[in-house]
Amino acid sequence: MVFATKIDLAAELEISRATVQNFFAGKSIGRENFHKICQTLKLPWHEIADLTEAVELDPEELEKELSDDRDRDRPYNIVKSEFVASWQSSQLDPIRALRQQIQTSIQQQCGSLRVLDMSQPRKLSEIYTEVKLLEKISSRRRLNLSNLIEAHAITNHDRPNLSRAFQKPLPGLQTVEQYSKLMILGKPGAGKTTFLKQIATQCIAGTFLADRVPIFISLKDFAESASQVDLLNYAIHQLAVINLDIAQGASDALIQGRALLLLDGLDEVKGHDRSSVLRAVRQFVAQFHANRFVITCRIAAPEYIFEQFTEVEIADFDESQIASFAQKWFAAKDATLPHHFLRALRTNPPLSELATSPILLTLLCLIFEERGAFPEQRSTLYKEVLQVLLKTWDASRHIDRHLLDTPLSLSHKKDLLSHIALTKFEQGDYFFHQQELEQLMSGCRYHVAQNSTHVSVTPSNQALDGEAILKSIEAQHGLLVERARGIYSFPHCIVQEYLAAREIATTANALVQETRLQKLVEQITNQRWHQVFLLTIELLPNPDLLLQLMQQKIENFAEAANLHEVLSWLAQKTATVSSANDTVAMRALYFELELSQFLDPCSHPLSHRLDNNGALKATLEISDELKLDRLLTRLLSLTNYNCELEVETDLEAPPPRPQSLVHTLISALNCAMKVAPALVPDLQHLKVQLPKLQENFDLEDDKRCLQDWWNATDPTWATQLRATIVQYRNLGHTWQFNAEQKTLINYYYQANQRLADSLNQVCLTTRMSVYRSLLLPTQPEMPPTPP
C-alpha cells in the first residue's frame, strides 16, 4: 500500500499525526504504534529498533515481548536508519524514489559526449556551455535583401556578419522552464542533442525541474526498434531495463504528469518511418499532455507542426560562449592553451566565424589541442570543415539521410556548391534568392541525370528538382541556410570563399582555369577577395601561372603610375642601409616611409606582412640608422599637419600634442649624433628656431604658442627641414603625382600586399624567386645593338 503523505498513514492506522512524525524523526513512541507502523510499511522492525532492555534477545523473543500487554505502552527508542529514509523516499514520494533509482541510468545515457574523432568521451559537465535560444525563427523573417544586409551588419570589406543575432537571445534552461511544450530547432551541429542531455542530467541531479522524472528518447532509435511498440511502452522500457519494478513507477509518473520527456532528433528519422513516428509522438503528447515535453529537430527538416508546442531556435555561439567553451575544453590539458587558442581566433576572423558553430568549435579545439596551433595552410582546415558538414557529422552518429529519390554523390555536391559559391561571389552576393539557387541547381541535376541510368530529368521538371536539391542540402548538411523567407546564404562567409577558391583551382580544363585566374587577378586590390586569393594559391597544384599573372598586374600598376623613378630610388636607398637583413622587407619599410602620404591609412603595413619571422622588428629595435630615418619621416609628417599633431608613432611614445614636434626633433638629434654626425649642425640650427615650450604648459597654451610661431614663421623652415633630410639621408623627396597616379600607387601597394600574403602559402623554392623581385623596378628593354 502506498501513502502519499504521513497524514494518510496516520489516518489509515487511526493514530495521531504526531506519533507518525515522531517515528520518522527518530523519537520514542509506544511499542504498539511502532509495531503497527512497521507492519503496515513492511519494515524489519527489529533491525531499526533500539531496545535498551532487550538487546540480547533474538527476533522471536522480541516479538513475544512486544505482544505482551504489560509492555504495550513502554516506549521504543527509534533510531532513524536507512530503512526509514528509504521508506520515506519510496512510499511517501514515489517520484523521488524513481528519480533515485534511474539516476545512474540517466548519467550513463546523457552524462558524456564523444563526437568527431575524439579519442575518448568527455564528461558533459566538464565542457557544457550555456545554450541561448531565439524566440523568433530566423528563416521565417519576412525581409528583403536590403533589410537582410542591414540586419547582418555588412563590414568595411563588404562581408556580412552572418552570426550576428537579430534579436536578444534568451537563456536556454530558463526558456525550457517557461514553456511546458517546446520544439527546439537548430542548424546541424548547433548543439541540440547536447542541450537535451544537459537538461536530463541537471534534472536528475535535482538542479533543474527537480520534481520531474527525465526520460531521454532518441527518436531515431525508437523508429529503428525491433519491437514496434508504441512510444509509451518504449519510454517505460528505456527505464525498466534497469529494474522491472521501475516500469510501474514510470507509468505512474506519466499518468500523474510528473515526467519530463526529452525527444531528440525528429529530423533523424528515416523517410519511411517518419509518418508512423510523427503519429506516435502526437498520440503520446495528447495522451500525457500534463507532462513536460522538449523535442529537437533540424531547422531545415520537413516542417513538422505540433499545435501545442512553442518553437525556438538555438542561437550561434557569441564571444563569451566561445571563450567559456575553450576554457573548459583545455582546462585539464594546459592552463595556457585557452589563451593561445582565443588569441589565434581573434587574429584570424575566418576561424572566428567558424567558432560560432558548436560542432565546428569542437573541431577547432581538437585541431589546436593536437599541435598547439592551427595549420599554416588553412585550406586543409576548411576542407575538413566541409567534410564534417557533408559527411562526418552524420556518419559518426550512424545517420543515413536520403531526401532525394536519386541522391547526389559527395563529389557532385562539392562541385555544385563550388559553382554556386564562385558565381555569386563574382556578382558580389552573399545572399541569394531561392529561385536563383534552384535554377543553378537544376542545371547541375540535369547534367547528373544525363550520366545516370537511374533517373530521368527533363527541362520541364528541372525547377521542381532544383528545389528538392536545395532543401536536401539545407536539411542534410546546413551548407545553405535560409536567413529569411526565400533568401539563403552559406553558413559562414569563409565557406563560400573556400568553395569559390576550390572552383577556380580544381578545374580540369586548362583554358577555363586560365580564364578564371585572369579574372581573379583583376580583383587583386579588392579586399573582399583576400581569402579567395590565399586559398586559391594553396589549392592550385602549380601556382606559377597565378604568381606570374599577379606580378604582371603589379608591373602594370607601376608603369601606369610612372613609378620607375621611385622604385629606382628605393633600390638605391635600401642598398645603403647597413643593417638590412631582409632587403625586401627593408624596401617595403622605406616605400611606406617615403610615400605614406599617398597610401591608404587603413592598409596594414606591407613590411609587416613580408617579415614573418620577426627579423625586421628585431632590426628596428637595435638599428639607430633605421630609427633616425623613421624619426625624420615623422618630423616631415608633423609639419604637414599644421600643428594638429595627432600622428601615430611607436617611437618613445611622445605625448599627442604640439610638443611632439619638439620631442621628435630632439630624439632625431640624439640619434644623428651616433650614426650621422654630419646631419647634426643642420638639425641644431632648425631646433633653435622652435618656440620654447615648457613641459608644464597647458595643452591649449602649447597649441596657441606653436600656432603663433607657425603663423609667424616663413615656410622656409619646413622647406629647409626637407632639404636637410634629402641631402643627408636621401629621404623625404617631393614626388609630384596627380590624382590618378596617387590612386595607382595605392593599387600598386595593395597588390604587393596581396602577393606577399599569397607567397606565404606556397613552397619555399617558388616563393623565393618571386619574393626577391618585390618592389623592384622592372628592367627596361635594352635597345638593339647597332650593326
Side-chain angles (χ1 to χ4, degrees):
M1 183 176 298
V2 174
F3 300 95
T5 67
K6 296 174 184 177
I7 297 175
D8 294 337
L9 177 61
E12 174 68 22
L13 299 179
E14 298 181 349
I15 59 180
S16 68
R17 284 180 288 178
T19 300
V20 175
Q21 185 64 39
N22 287 339
F23 175 86
F24 291 107
K27 297 180 180 179
S28 298
I29 64 172
R31 293 194 179 194
E32 181 180 8
N33 290 335
F34 173 81
H35 193 58
K36 279 184 179 181
I37 293 172
C38 289
Q39 283 187 328
T40 302
L41 301 182
K42 299 180 180 179
L43 292 173
W45 65 267
H46 52 278
E47 293 185 27
I48 63 173
D50 181 13
L51 304 181
T52 56
E53 297 182 7
V55 293
E56 301 297 332
L57 297 178
D58 61 29
E60 291 184 4
E61 292 173 320
L62 287 174
E63 180 70 28
K64 180 179 179 181
E65 181 178 339
L66 184 60
S67 64
D68 193 330
D69 289 341
R70 293 172 302 173
D71 297 323
R72 184 180 302 276
D73 298 322
R74 189 164 49 157
Y76 273 170
N77 294 322
I78 307 299
V79 177
K80 188 176 182 182
S81 69
E82 59 184 25
F83 297 99
V84 180
S86 175
W87 181 89
Q88 273 189 288
S89 63
S90 62
Q91 299 298 313
L92 294 182
D93 190 356
I95 297 299
R96 181 179 175 187
L98 180 60
R99 286 167 52 85
Q100 291 178 344
Q101 290 172 308
I102 67 171
Q103 185 169 8
T104 301
S105 173
I106 293 295
Q107 286 293 342
Q108 289 176 345
Q109 185 182 20
C110 303
S112 62
L113 186 69
R114 184 177 180 183
V115 296
L116 302 179
D117 57 354
M118 291 170 59
S119 57
Q120 60 185 12
R122 299 284 298 268
K123 289 184 178 179
L124 186 61
S125 59
E126 294 177 352
I127 59 174
Y128 175 77
T129 300
E130 178 191 18
V131 165
K132 297 179 182 179
L133 301 175
L134 305 175
E135 287 188 296
K136 296 180 180 179
I137 309 303
S138 57
S139 61
R140 297 173 190 169
R141 293 180 291 175
R142 289 178 171 84
L143 301 175
N144 57 33
L145 274 178
S146 59
N147 297 145
L148 197 59
I149 290 171
E150 182 179 356
H152 286 282
I154 296 295
T155 65
N156 291 333
H157 302 312
D158 298 325
R159 298 174 85 250
N161 180 2
L162 296 178
S163 299
R164 183 189 182 194
F166 60 91
Q167 57 182 293
K168 184 177 180 180
L170 302 175
L173 290 176
Q174 176 182 312
T175 307
V176 172
E177 193 170 18
Q178 181 178 353
Y179 299 104
S180 63
K181 294 176 179 60
L182 197 66
M183 170 77 83
I184 298 178
L185 305 174
K187 297 187 284 289
K192 300 179 293 294
T193 299
T194 302
F195 183 41
L196 229 55
K197 287 185 174 183
Q198 177 69 4
I199 294 172
T201 56
Q202 288 200 226
C203 179
I204 202 64
T207 58
F208 178 72
L209 297 178
D211 61 334
R212 300 279 169 168
V213 176
I215 303 176
F216 182 95
I217 295 175
S218 164
L219 291 175
K220 171 182 174 290
D221 292 344
F222 166 66
E224 296 173 354
S225 60
S227 55
Q228 298 297 321
V229 295
D230 60 28
L231 195 53
L232 170 61
N233 288 327
Y234 185 83
I236 293 174
H237 177 73
Q238 288 291 97
L239 302 177
V241 292
I242 313 161
N243 186 335
L244 294 178
D245 294 337
I246 295 175
Q248 184 60 48
S251 179
D252 291 342
L254 287 165
I255 293 171
Q256 296 171 25
R258 301 284 299 278
L260 171 61
L261 277 301
L262 305 169
L263 309 180
D264 184 45
L266 187 57
D267 59 286
E268 297 173 3
V269 177
K270 292 182 179 179
H272 56 80
D273 293 324
R274 197 168 295 135
S275 60
S276 61
V277 170
L278 282 172
R279 184 168 56 252
V281 171
R282 289 195 176 100
Q283 290 174 350
F284 188 75
V285 172
Q287 184 178 0
F288 300 101
H289 60 87
N291 295 278
R292 284 180 168 270
F293 291 86
V294 183
I295 304 176
T296 63
C297 183
R298 284 192 176 179
I299 197 167
E303 295 187 1
Y304 307 114
I305 298 176
F306 294 89
E307 294 181 357
Q308 298 177 351
F309 280 69
T310 297
E311 294 184 349
V312 294
E313 177 183 350
I314 292 188
D316 289 335
F317 270 6
D318 57 26
E319 289 184 7
S320 63
Q321 290 170 295
I322 293 171
S324 174
F325 185 91
Q327 290 287 348
K328 294 177 180 179
W329 182 275
F330 296 112
K333 301 288 182 180
D334 184 340
T336 64
L337 275 179
H339 170 74
H340 296 314
F341 176 80
L342 294 172
R343 184 176 61 182
L345 288 185
R346 284 192 297 270
T347 57
N348 196 303
L351 295 185
S352 295
E353 293 176 24
L354 298 177
T356 60
S357 164
I359 188 59
L360 298 184
L361 176 56
T362 303
L363 174 65
L364 294 176
C365 287
L366 285 167
I367 293 171
F368 198 87
E369 182 179 50
E370 183 175 342
R371 62 179 71 189
F374 293 116
E376 292 183 6
Q377 286 211 328
R378 296 298 159 79
S379 60
T380 59
L381 191 154
Y382 302 140
K383 181 179 180 181
E384 190 168 356
V385 166
L386 196 65
Q387 189 72 6
V388 165
L389 295 176
L390 281 172
K391 182 179 180 181
T392 311
W393 182 225
D394 275 350
S396 65
R397 296 173 299 146
H398 310 291
I399 297 172
D400 185 15
R401 306 173 195 265
H402 290 302
L403 302 183
L404 293 171
D405 294 334
T406 304
L408 291 173
S409 68
L410 197 61
S411 61
H412 278 133
K413 288 179 182 178
K414 290 179 181 178
D415 292 343
L416 171 59
L417 290 167
S418 299
H419 174 65
I420 293 171
L422 180 60
T423 300
K424 303 309 294 181
F425 199 82
E426 289 177 335
Q427 297 170 3
D429 294 337
Y430 287 95
F431 299 103
F432 342 112
H433 286 289
Q434 181 173 341
Q435 185 177 2
E436 295 177 284
L437 288 177
E438 290 174 2
Q439 290 173 349
L440 288 168
M441 290 179 170
S442 62
C444 172
R445 180 65 164 175
Y446 187 68
H447 175 75
V448 173
Q450 288 179 316
N451 297 282
S452 172
T453 59
H454 304 292
V455 62
S456 176
V457 179
T458 64
S460 62
N461 66 7
Q462 281 187 34
L464 178 62
D465 192 63
E467 180 181 5
I469 298 173
L470 172 59
K471 292 300 180 183
S472 170
I473 290 177
E474 181 187 11
Q476 285 185 259
H477 314 298
L479 282 167
L480 288 168
V481 179
E482 192 171 12
R483 301 292 179 178
R485 287 189 181 273
I487 302 178
Y488 285 78
S489 80
F490 285 92
H492 309 282
C493 292
I494 189 60
V495 171
Q496 182 177 359
E497 290 158 349
Y498 168 77
L499 288 167
R502 181 184 180 274
E503 179 73 356
I504 296 171
T506 59
T507 304
N509 188 309
L511 292 177
V512 172
Q513 185 176 81
E514 183 174 354
T515 300
R516 288 178 175 173
L517 292 178
Q518 289 172 340
K519 291 176 67 176
L520 176 63
V521 171
E522 289 303 311
Q523 304 295 335
I524 195 170
T525 62
N526 189 338
Q527 180 63 23
R528 194 174 66 87
W529 284 79
H530 178 65
Q531 293 297 329
V532 178
F533 266 94
L534 300 185
L535 293 169
T536 300
I537 207 161
E538 283 186 15
L539 293 170
L540 283 169
N542 184 350
D544 288 352
L545 176 58
L546 178 55
L547 292 174
Q548 291 169 10
L549 291 171
M550 294 174 75
Q551 283 181 291
Q552 183 61 53
K553 188 69 175 177
I554 289 170
E555 291 172 4
N556 292 344
F557 283 138
E559 183 178 351
N562 194 19
L563 284 179
H564 182 78
E565 185 178 357
V566 173
L567 296 177
S568 297
W569 161 83
L570 185 61
Q572 180 187 29
K573 171 62 181 176
T574 53
T576 65
V577 180
S578 58
S579 57
N581 294 326
D582 185 335
T583 56
V584 179
M586 201 62 60
R587 287 200 296 268
L589 174 63
Y590 276 101
F591 187 91
E592 293 157 9
L593 291 177
E594 185 77 357
L595 301 182
S596 58
Q597 59 182 312
F598 305 128
L599 302 180
D600 180 3
C602 296
S603 296
H604 298 292
L606 173 58
S607 56
H608 291 180
R609 293 169 182 260
L610 293 170
D611 187 53
N612 292 324
N613 60 5
L616 179 59
K617 181 179 179 181
T619 301
L620 290 173
E621 291 175 352
I622 64 174
S623 172
D624 287 324
E625 190 176 11
L626 287 177
K627 184 177 181 180
L628 173 62
D629 285 346
R630 298 181 78 198
L631 285 166
L632 294 174
T633 304
R634 173 171 167 74
L635 268 176
L636 289 175
S637 67
L638 290 175
T639 62
N640 291 333
Y641 274 73
N642 196 20
C643 294
E644 293 299 327
L645 307 176
E646 306 284 337
V647 181
E648 175 186 4
T649 180
D650 57 356
L651 294 170
E652 301 183 9
R657 50 205 247 170
Q659 285 176 296
S660 295
L661 187 66
V662 179
H663 284 292
T664 305
L665 183 53
I666 293 172
S667 297
L669 259 170
N670 294 333
C671 200
M673 290 177 185
K674 300 179 183 178
V675 295
L679 175 61
V680 173
D682 285 50
L683 290 183
Q684 285 177 332
H685 177 69
L686 289 166
K687 176 176 175 285
V688 298
Q689 300 178 48
L690 292 175
K692 303 298 182 182
L693 298 180
Q694 300 298 321
E695 289 293 339
N696 59 352
F697 267 27
D698 179 78
L699 175 60
E700 291 305 318
D701 289 342
D702 283 350
K703 279 189 174 183
R704 191 179 305 109
C705 179
L706 197 56
Q707 187 69 52
D708 291 342
W709 169 81
W710 186 265
N711 294 336
T713 302
D714 191 285
T716 55
W717 190 92
T719 303
Q720 184 181 352
L721 172 67
R722 183 177 295 275
T724 299
I725 295 174
V726 170
Q727 178 184 355
Y728 290 100
R729 298 303 301 167
N730 190 17
L731 195 64
H733 298 270
T734 303
W735 304 99
Q736 300 296 328
F737 295 114
N738 59 33
E740 182 181 0
Q741 284 178 305
K742 292 176 183 178
T743 300
L744 289 169
I745 289 172
N746 255 302
Y747 288 163
Y748 175 82
Y749 180 76
Q750 293 167 11
N752 273 281
Q753 288 179 318
R754 191 76 68 243
L755 180 55
D757 288 337
S758 301
L759 289 174
N760 292 327
Q761 317 303 317
V762 299
C763 68
L764 185 62
T765 303
T766 303
R767 176 190 177 194
M768 293 310 298
S769 61
V770 178
Y771 179 77
R772 295 189 185 98
S773 69
L774 291 178
L775 298 170
L776 282 176
T778 55
Q779 298 296 327
E781 293 185 10
M782 298 296 294
T785 303

